[in-house]
Amino acid sequence: MKKSAVYWLLLPGFVFLAAFMVIPIVLTIGSTFVQENAFTLDGYLHFFKDPYFLKILLTTLQVSVVTTLVCVVLGFPTAYYISRKAPRRKGILLALAIFPLLTSPVVRSFSWMIILGRKGLINNALVGLGLIDQPLDILYTPAAMMIGLTHLFLPLMIISLVGVLENIDQDLLKAAQSLGASRFTAFRRVVFPLAVPGLVIGAVLVFVGSLTAYTTPALLGGKQRVIATFLYQNAMTLNDWYLASVIAAIMIAITFIVVGVMNRMAKTLNPKG
Amino acid sequence: MALLTLDQVSVAYDNQTILKDFSLELEKGKLLSLLGPSGCGKTTTLRLIAGFLEAKQGKFLFGGKDYTRVPVNKRNFGFVFQSYALFPHLSVYDNVAFGLRMRKVKDRDVSERVMRMLEVVNLNGFEKRFPQELSGGQRQRVAIARALVIEPDLLLFDEPLSNLDANLRVNMRVEIRRIQQELGITTLYVSHDQEECFSISDQVAIMNKGIVEQLDRPETIFKYPATEFVARFIGFHNFIEFDERSDAGDAISLKVGGRLFTATANPGTVRPGARKGAIRPDDLIVSGDTGQEAANALPGMIKVSTYLGRSYQYVVETELGDFTANQEMETPYFSGQRVNLIFPQDKLVLVE
């Protein structure tokens, strides 16, 4: 095949993405700056002045950031363990790790309701043990959303990290130790920086996933709104498509900013990654 | 007294014993090579000394202290890996500086020592490069600089040249020997390449199945192998199992079948009781003159003749089996020709 002919293979995917993603996004974002045939920033000014909207935005960011951090903390040791195993074992462990992704978000959220509710497993156990008098409010709080989202997105973090960790030559750790580094220092100075690319990919996936998640926050968050549920409410219940578009544009902007910042951080931590 | 002593150590992994009651000594400032086929335990020995493996039994003494349980990062040994194991996320400078920073050396001294070491390995000007921007030989030199800059008490090489092409290998081994002698650093070197080991070592230990078959100066091993394994490993292709041996002063008489051979008494033949004769193809003489019975001669017939460039190689069939001999000559013998194989007295050695 001629070299230029290879590019034709890209065409179907390119056309699909352009027609159904790039153009609609551009049109949606463009429409937020136009009202009654004139350029305007009213939609954004309105959004950022309203404390109710800002609180939703803040809650969403909080939930997303905490979920991402928890996924990093839980995912790194797990991924490191899996990456050190023989190929067969590794396959089995990875399959187990991605299992949550294979279940329906609705079913998964209902299970969490049973566990987290006022009469749920955790509260019953704590009250039964006499550790607390009144059941804790976990369900329908941001904490419940974080738990549900962590459960959902941890596999993405683990897969991204295993991908980079399994390619780190074990001799590098030995080399660092022979040069005087303790196991911990060798990990911090060698394994961690080399894992940064996977960490960034995992963090972006988890963060963006949490930011845009709908089902899990809708079912576990109760009256707590996040941007995605708020957007749905505006579009479908209140029929305010203009505000819905503004919210969508803000979500896209946040996503781009986060990806940009993370890549920046990755560059400083691992210049050759 | 030896700087390094392995005293009857045993190492096993996955329930498989690699080394059993293994002992080794190395003197300060010397370069000792461990040479042998893969699976002979040479790399295990090196990793044990480095501290990557732990001995099940036995002791490892270094400088009079017990190092058996000292962790890797407290040993102050430099290790050069076959894969180089350079940190890909660090520049050449930071790679070399790694060990010094672990030792909390002041920044100014770090810079001075790193630059001096890069000069020793001829890499000045490369400090800002990253490992993936270097050639194999340059990476190897960074790895050596990184191991040397910490002023290690012992330098360990694990097949450092096997990933380089043939020309570079020869240059690098000269480099390694030069640096080792310049700094007078005690070194243990592992390789499966005989020429490489012999060319750079003060002493060579030939290993097989977890034991040292022979430990000696390269010249001694080359001329006087102690065992059949060593002899085969270093290119003695011809062996005769003698039935009788009697020593009388400078000469040793050997009998096999009805034939009588004589060997000169030398370090290669003194091993008492050894009755297996060995000789190199280069030392065996093929004589076209079959008329008279010469001393140490064995009649035979040319079976195969091949051209090696400088010489011809003959496989000669005799009543004692096939022998291989290399000989420089103008017109070669032809297949089927009757010849006499002459075993020069001083070239015949006796091995166990």
Side-chain angles (χ1 to χ4, degrees):
Chain A
M1 209 184 291
K2 263 163 64 185
K3 216 176 175 187
S4 59
V6 174
Y7 291 109
W8 291 103
L9 297 173
L10 275 176
L11 196 65
F14 183 77
V15 168
F16 183 85
L17 279 181
F20 296 109
M21 192 170 145
V22 179
I23 294 170
I25 286 177
V26 170
L27 289 178
T28 305
I29 295 177
S31 74
T32 61
F33 294 107
V34 182
Q35 255 184 336
E36 286 151 14
N37 290 327
F39 176 81
T40 175
L41 286 171
D42 275 359
Y44 294 92
L45 292 174
H46 182 61
F47 185 94
F48 285 110
K49 270 187 193 152
D50 191 328
Y52 178 62
F53 296 168
L54 283 180
K55 193 175 163 287
I56 290 171
L57 181 62
L58 194 70
T59 310
T60 313
L61 288 175
Q62 243 172 9
V63 168
S64 306
V65 168
V66 173
T67 304
T68 308
L69 291 178
V70 173
C71 283
V72 170
V73 172
L74 294 181
F76 210 109
T78 317
Y80 193 59
Y81 177 81
I82 294 175
S83 71
R84 292 279 140 282
K85 293 284 150 192
R88 224 181 79 87
R89 265 267 170 94
K90 202 187 290 174
I92 296 170
L93 290 172
L94 267 179
L96 286 175
I98 61 170
F99 200 71
L101 284 177
L102 307 176
T103 58
S104 144
V106 179
V107 175
R108 201 176 332 104
S109 298
F110 278 132
S111 318
W112 278 114
M113 285 180 182
I114 295 169
I115 296 169
L116 301 174
R118 285 185 70 84
K119 295 226 165 100
L121 245 131
I122 291 180
N123 276 320
N124 276 350
L126 290 176
V127 173
L129 287 169
L131 291 173
I132 49 170
D133 297 330
Q134 291 295 311
L136 299 171
D137 282 320
I138 311 175
L139 192 58
Y140 307 135
T141 65
M145 293 194 242
M146 291 168 195
I147 293 171
L149 290 171
T150 302
H151 184 205
L152 176 58
F153 291 125
L154 188 56
L156 295 180
M157 180 61 82
I158 292 176
I159 295 171
S160 312
L161 282 173
V162 169
V164 286
L165 287 172
E166 68 186 354
N167 286 325
I168 296 177
D169 181 0
Q170 279 303 286
D171 279 351
L172 294 182
L173 269 177
K174 295 203 179 99
Q177 283 177 276
S178 80
L179 292 166
S182 65
R183 270 170 176 277
F184 177 73
T185 310
F187 182 87
R188 192 170 58 86
R189 300 284 299 268
V190 178
V191 177
F192 184 76
L194 290 174
V196 161
L199 201 63
V200 168
I201 291 170
V204 166
L205 289 176
V206 174
F207 184 86
V208 174
S210 304
L211 189 76
T212 54
Y214 175 80
T215 317
T216 306
L219 292 176
L220 297 179
K223 271 184 247 148
Q224 283 285 348
R225 294 265 168 276
V226 292
I227 304 186
T229 53
F230 183 54
L231 189 156
Y232 179 84
Q233 188 187 25
N234 274 290
M236 305 310 285
T237 319
L238 306 176
N239 243 325
D240 188 345
W241 287 92
Y242 177 71
L243 186 55
S245 302
V246 170
I247 298 168
I250 290 171
M251 280 168 92
I252 292 169
I254 293 174
T255 305
F256 274 100
I257 291 167
V258 167
V259 173
V261 169
M262 296 256 208
N263 275 331
R264 240 279 158 47
M265 274 164 54
K267 279 250 155 54
T268 47
L269 276 170
N270 179 358
K272 283 286 148 176
Chain B
M1 202 193 122
L3 177 69
L4 177 157
T5 309
L6 282 182
D7 186 13
Q8 308 234 314
V9 293
S10 298
V11 179
Y13 34 70
D14 295 342
N15 288 324
Q16 210 177 353
T17 308
I18 312 287
L19 296 177
K20 193 161 188 289
D21 298 334
F22 183 87
S23 298
L24 189 73
E25 288 195 342
L26 174 57
E27 269 167 52
K28 197 170 165 41
K30 298 276 189 235
L31 194 158
L32 169 68
S33 288
L34 303 179
L35 173 65
S38 55
C40 71
K42 57 191 193 299
T43 298
T44 303
T45 308
L46 195 73
R47 298 198 162 223
L48 174 79
I49 290 169
F52 300 143
L53 290 174
E54 215 170 82
K56 227 171 52 171
Q57 275 162 28
K59 266 196 176 153
F60 166 37
L61 302 174
F62 190 84
K65 290 194 204 90
D66 187 351
Y67 264 50
T68 319
R69 302 267 173 261
V70 174
V72 185
N73 54 326
K74 305 276 185 227
R75 291 196 179 189
N76 198 37
F77 295 167
F79 199 103
V80 179
F81 292 81
Q82 183 175 5
S83 62
Y84 318 137
L86 298 180
F87 306 126
H89 60 299
L90 298 179
S91 65
V92 167
Y93 181 93
D94 289 330
N95 261 285
V96 179
F98 192 93
L100 295 176
R101 293 193 173 130
M102 289 298 122
R103 284 162 177 72
K104 309 255 183 316
V105 175
K106 278 197 220 106
D107 273 351
R108 191 155 26 89
D109 298 341
V110 169
S111 142
E112 195 186 309
R113 282 168 71 178
V114 170
M115 296 320 257
R116 186 155 28 99
M117 199 45 71
L118 287 177
E119 217 161 283
V120 170
V121 297
N122 290 324
L123 273 182
N124 17 1
F126 284 83
E127 56 272 7
K128 290 211 177 70
R129 302 270 193 103
F130 280 81
Q132 53 271 56
E133 300 165 351
L134 303 177
S135 69
Q138 290 167 337
R139 284 182 207 185
Q140 185 56 269
R141 277 190 269 209
V142 177
I144 293 171
R146 187 179 67 174
L148 280 172
V149 78
I150 60 172
E151 290 170 6
D153 299 322
L154 179 68
L155 191 55
L156 304 166
F157 285 96
D158 184 13
E159 309 235 8
L161 306 182
S162 51
N163 288 338
L164 301 176
D165 64 53
N167 277 334
L168 206 52
R169 230 169 11 227
V170 174
N171 292 341
M172 276 309 293
R173 76 184 189 215
V174 176
E175 280 287 87
I176 288 177
R177 182 57 162 166
R178 171 182 71 81
I179 294 166
Q180 186 264 335
Q181 285 186 325
E182 232 170 73
L183 306 178
I185 186 160
T186 317
T187 304
L188 199 61
Y189 190 100
V190 159
S191 174
H192 63 267
D193 183 332
Q194 180 219 318
E195 191 186 304
E196 189 179 311
C197 283
F198 277 35
S199 63
I200 64 169
S201 307
D202 295 302
Q203 282 193 308
V204 176
I206 304 222
M207 290 182 65
N208 180 33
K209 294 181 185 153
I211 59 162
V212 173
E213 295 259 346
Q214 188 173 11
L215 195 162
D216 222 321
R217 293 170 58 237
E219 294 88 338
T220 310
I221 295 179
F222 193 79
K223 269 162 91 178
Y224 309 124
T227 65
E228 185 182 348
F229 175 83
V230 174
R232 281 190 196 280
F233 198 78
I234 60 172
F236 283 73
H237 286 305
N238 304 306
F239 295 89
I240 305 176
E241 184 83 55
F242 292 109
D243 299 329
E244 272 175 55
R245 158 180 185 161
S246 56
D247 296 32
D250 283 347
I252 299 165
S253 307
L254 300 151
K255 248 192 210 155
V256 55
R259 298 198 176 270
L260 194 69
F261 288 86
T262 323
T264 313
N266 61 31
T269 50
V270 291
R271 270 169 282 277
R275 275 187 310 165
K276 183 165 273 184
I279 190 162
R280 285 178 187 280
D282 282 342
D283 293 332
L284 199 53
I285 297 165
V286 188
S287 163
D289 180 8
T290 51
Q292 55 196 0
E293 283 285 305
N296 273 8
L298 181 66
M301 192 185 78
I302 304 278
K303 207 161 126 186
V304 186
S305 161
T306 47
Y307 182 53
L308 297 183
R310 210 182 56 185
S311 59
Y312 287 90
Q313 182 166 74
Y314 302 107
V315 177
V316 181
E317 195 178 348
T318 75
E319 61 188 63
L320 297 175
D322 288 356
F323 288 85
T324 309
N326 300 340
Q327 193 144 314
E328 285 179 55
M329 55 201 304
E330 288 297 321
T331 24
Y333 301 122
F334 52 87
S335 294
Q337 187 171 345
R338 301 243 147 233
V339 291
N340 251 343
L341 283 175
I342 315 280
F343 294 74
Q345 277 194 27
D346 56 332
K347 296 288 164 59
L348 189 62
V349 298
L350 294 169
V351 298
E352 274 157 19

